[in-house]
Amino acid sequence: MAAAARLVRLDGPAGSVSLGAASPLTIGRDPANGFCLAGVAGVSRRHAELRPSGNGQWLLCDLGSSNGTFLEGERLQGCRLLNPGDRIRLGRRGPLLQFLSASPAPAPQRARPAPAPERGSPAPAIPPPGPSPGSSPGPSPGPALLEGSIVVAGRRLPLDQIRAVELRHEALHPHLFSWWLLACLGGLLLLPFPLLFWPWQIGSLALAILLARRQEHRLILSLRDGQAYRHSFTDRATALAHRNGVRRALGQSLDP
């Protein structure tokens, strides 16, 4: 249950606070916060907030803090759903908190044995095997549907509020060619020619080509109130899975 959840500080002075079933919890230096960290460097006056999202789940939201909020080592953009045991750091080197919840995990359903095929009927197709226990999981399969809404990268959005979805592929380093030219000019002026200049030029060109292949895949959800929700992915397959999942939920075409 949500009432059994609590937030615990792992470093510095020991402290914890219980989370109410319907009341958000703010974190920051201001004494008015539910979890006050007065005098802690790097923490904003109103740094982050935990919000109940129903079904015993909680959302972690950054409140525009100066140094950011990090969930399991990843900087938070907007809000994300919390899992029991998740670690939260306020700033890159700020206090470390942990979200604890006594919500029991749903019991796995026992698989029913498949009926024997009738005589003369073709044998049923065998699905490909999934990942073995203990193996590393692959990319995220996409967003999750939940009671007329969809959870995209940890943020829950009502389906009737989403107007359109698009995916943009942008270069992480769009000015590499200009930097490569500057490196070549600097090498031409400072390095003996041609003993060190050509290895320098070839090495910088190989580095520029390698970095130019890196892309950021930005998912943009246009909402009906005129706002937009954006989330960046480093993996193309994960980004496409999220875009197609949202389009499928909205009944839109999956064409690019």
Side-chain angles (χ1 to χ4, degrees), residues 132-219:
S132 59
S135 62
S136 58
S140 172
L145 290 172
L146 184 62
E147 297 178 358
S149 60
I150 192 166
V151 180
V152 182
R155 181 168 180 178
R156 185 173 176 178
L157 299 170
L159 285 173
D160 56 1
Q161 295 298 318
I162 302 176
R163 180 171 52 86
V165 56
E166 67 173 309
L167 184 62
R168 296 180 183 176
H169 309 284
E170 302 175 356
L172 278 176
H173 309 283
H175 306 295
L176 272 177
F177 183 70
S178 300
W179 286 109
W180 177 73
L181 286 179
L182 290 176
C184 291
L185 291 176
L188 183 63
L189 295 175
L190 301 176
L191 297 176
F193 184 87
L195 182 61
L196 295 178
F197 173 73
W198 287 113
W200 167 266
Q201 185 179 22
I202 294 173
S204 61
L205 178 60
L207 180 62
I209 293 175
L210 181 63
L211 294 178
R213 298 178 60 183
R214 301 186 61 185
Q215 286 186 326
E216 178 184 45
H217 312 283
R218 183 170 298 177
L219 182 70

Side-chain angles (χ1 to χ4, degrees), residues 13-167:
S16 67
V17 61
S18 297
L19 303 177
S23 302
L25 175 76
T26 55
I27 310 169
R29 291 188 292 107
D30 196 312
N33 290 299
F35 196 97
C36 179
L37 297 169
V40 179
V43 178
S44 301
R45 294 180 61 84
R46 284 174 52 85
H47 197 108
E49 185 178 54
L50 272 70
R51 302 173 183 171
S53 65
N55 297 329
Q57 295 180 310
W58 288 84
L59 287 170
L60 174 66
C61 306
D62 184 78
L63 299 180
S65 60
S66 301
N67 297 316
T69 303
F70 294 80
L71 178 60
E72 292 296 322
E74 182 181 354
R75 183 157 187 169
L76 194 65
Q77 302 291 340
C79 299
R80 285 186 60 182
L81 280 173
L82 286 170
N83 295 316
D86 278 351
R87 297 193 174 194
I88 305 163
R89 188 175 291 276
L90 307 179
R92 293 191 179 274
R93 296 179 178 84
L96 181 63
L97 313 175
Q98 188 174 30
F99 171 75
L100 301 177
S101 175
S103 300
Q109 297 181 355
R110 181 174 299 177
R112 297 180 178 178
E118 298 180 1
R119 180 174 299 178
S121 61
I126 301 177
S132 59
S135 62
S136 58
S140 172
L145 290 172
L146 184 62
E147 297 178 358
S149 60
I150 192 166
V151 180
V152 182
R155 181 168 180 178
R156 185 173 176 178
L157 299 170
L159 285 173
D160 56 1
Q161 295 298 318
I162 302 176
R163 180 171 52 86
V165 56
E166 67 173 309
L167 184 62

